[in-house]
Every structure is written in structure tokens, then in C-alpha cells.
Amino acid sequence: MIKIFVFLLFAALILPGKSQPSSKIYLIRHAKVDLKNPGWGNSKAAHLYKKQYNRSPIRNFNANEIKKKIENFETVDTVFCSPLKRAAETASIIFGESVVIKTDSVLAELDYPVVKFPAVQLPVKVWLLISRVTWMMGINGKEMENYQCRKMELRVYSQKLMEYTGTHEITIVVAHGMVNRELKRILKEQGWKPGNHYDFSTLSVNYFEKK
């Protein structure tokens, strides 16, 4: 009995303890959309550009560069993804057929209506900025889901992502700029620590970690 005790004590002192592996949630923004700069126009032109943006394909990019930024990439078997074309194509190029891509409308970009001033000429992207800001302020788009509603949906969905990390070391989300910014804010509130940030034109990779 004494020999067994001594052996166990020796093993505890000599053998290094295994640290608890951390969970990581990666947030990937979709690749650049293959669409020319819209230039100037009225609010109607901005509305048409926005529709075209949602339908257009993405530009080619080096998927291997993205994979290098994801720890233990080869263990990933499921990716959570926006159903919009640009996000779904990005996920498909990076992960191919090696994973299950689960799309959910909650991860679609926060949509907003374009304000209507047909007689005024502005850069189309300025129209979109004005429209987005006024929508977030609650003074644009009564007929559509408001900003607070979408934020609540993402808060509920984030719980699903965090629960998934309970059985998986890595969780990956492929979505959009505004959606990912909101998810970052929620994760920070829940005690997740931000890791490295990588930019590849509009495509970006961030991760949050929790032990």
C-alpha cells in the first residue's frame, strides 16, 4: 500500500497536468462581392444597388490563407452560416464538402430600407450609410423588423452558439459585418475574450475564447 501511495505521489509531482482546453468561436465575414462601385445616384439607384449586391457572386480568394487562421481546422465538422449568397459562397469555398453548413435566417445581414428622396443626388454608398444609421435610430423602416428586434434574435441565437461549444472545441460562424459586430458585443458581455483579428480585404476572421 505504501509503494502504491509513493508511486501516485511521484506521478502527480513529475507528470505535467493537462490544462483544460479552451473553446473558441470564430466569426468570419464574407468575401468581397464582385460588383463595381456604384458612383452617384438618387435613393432609387441606391435601392437597386442594394438589391444587386444581395444577388451578386463573390470574388475569388485564397481559401488556404483563411484555413491557416483557424486552429485545428481539420476537426471542424459544422459551420453556422447566413443564408445570403455572399456568405454561403464564402463558407462553401473555405470548407468545401467536408462540413455540414447550417444556414439560419437570424445570421442574415441586418436589413434596412433605403430612405426615399428621389430628387437628391448623392454617392450611392452615402445613401446606404444614411439609411442604415436612421434605421438603427428607429426613424426609418416602420414596415420592417426594427433594429432592436434583430439584436434580440441574435442574443438568443448566441446562446445556441455558446451551448454548441460545450461539446465542440471550435465553433465557426460565417456571416456579415453588422451581424458579426453584434455577436462580438454579446460574446464580450458573456465573458469571452477576443483573440486575433485577420483582414483579407472585406473578408475577415476573428475569434473569441473562453476556458
Side-chain angles (χ1 to χ4, degrees):
M1 179 66 69
I2 295 176
K3 289 182 178 180
I4 295 175
F5 175 79
V6 171
F7 173 78
L8 293 175
L9 179 62
F10 177 80
L13 293 173
I14 300 299
L15 296 177
K18 293 183 178 179
S19 59
Q20 185 70 19
S22 61
S23 296
K24 291 183 178 179
I25 297 179
Y26 283 84
L27 303 178
I28 300 176
R29 184 181 187 270
H30 64 81
K32 189 176 182 65
V33 173
D34 191 13
L35 191 61
K36 293 181 180 179
N37 192 307
W40 285 61
N42 57 18
S43 59
K44 182 177 180 181
H47 174 74
L48 293 175
Y49 174 80
K50 190 165 174 283
K51 290 180 64 175
Q52 189 177 5
Y53 185 85
N54 287 332
R55 295 194 301 260
S56 296
I58 57 173
R59 295 182 181 177
N60 291 329
F61 63 92
N62 188 342
N64 289 327
E65 289 299 314
I66 312 303
K67 294 176 185 178
K68 291 177 183 177
K69 306 305 180 184
I70 302 174
E71 185 177 336
N72 297 327
F73 173 87
E74 65 282 354
T75 66
V76 176
D77 59 13
T78 302
V79 171
F80 299 91
C81 184
S82 160
L84 298 185
K85 183 181 179 71
R86 53 192 181 275
E89 287 185 351
T90 300
S92 179
I93 291 174
I94 297 173
F95 300 97
E97 298 180 354
S98 62
V99 304
V100 174
I101 297 179
K102 292 187 176 181
T103 59
D104 196 301
S105 60
V106 175
L107 293 175
E109 183 60 301
L110 305 184
D111 197 17
Y112 55 88
V114 176
V115 293
K116 297 178 181 179
F117 291 101
V120 179
Q121 295 284 321
L122 289 172
V124 166
K125 291 189 177 181
V126 171
W127 277 119
L128 297 180
L129 176 61
I130 293 171
S131 300
R132 182 169 68 247
V133 170
T134 53
W135 177 73
M136 293 170 70
M137 293 172 63
I139 57 177
N140 173 25
K142 294 181 180 179
E143 76 282 2
M144 301 180 68
E145 289 180 303
N146 62 42
Y147 182 46
Q148 296 302 322
C149 179
R150 286 302 315 273
K151 288 203 299 182
M152 183 58 67
E153 289 177 345
L154 284 169
R155 183 170 292 277
V156 172
Y157 190 83
S158 69
Q159 295 301 315
K160 175 180 178 179
L161 298 176
M162 289 184 274
E163 288 172 6
Y164 182 82
T165 63
T167 54
H168 297 77
E169 182 180 351
I170 297 174
T171 301
I172 294 181
V173 177
V174 181
H176 309 269
M178 287 195 291
V179 168
N180 285 354
R181 279 194 292 274
E182 186 60 29
L183 288 175
K184 289 176 192 177
R185 188 179 65 81
I186 295 169
L187 290 173
K188 286 180 182 178
E189 289 177 359
Q190 296 297 319
W192 290 73
K193 304 299 182 183
N196 294 330
H197 173 89
Y198 306 100
D199 277 320
F200 303 87
S201 185
T202 60
L203 195 158
S204 63
V205 180
N206 300 267
Y207 74 82
F208 283 75
E209 184 174 19
K210 193 171 188 180
K211 293 186 178 182

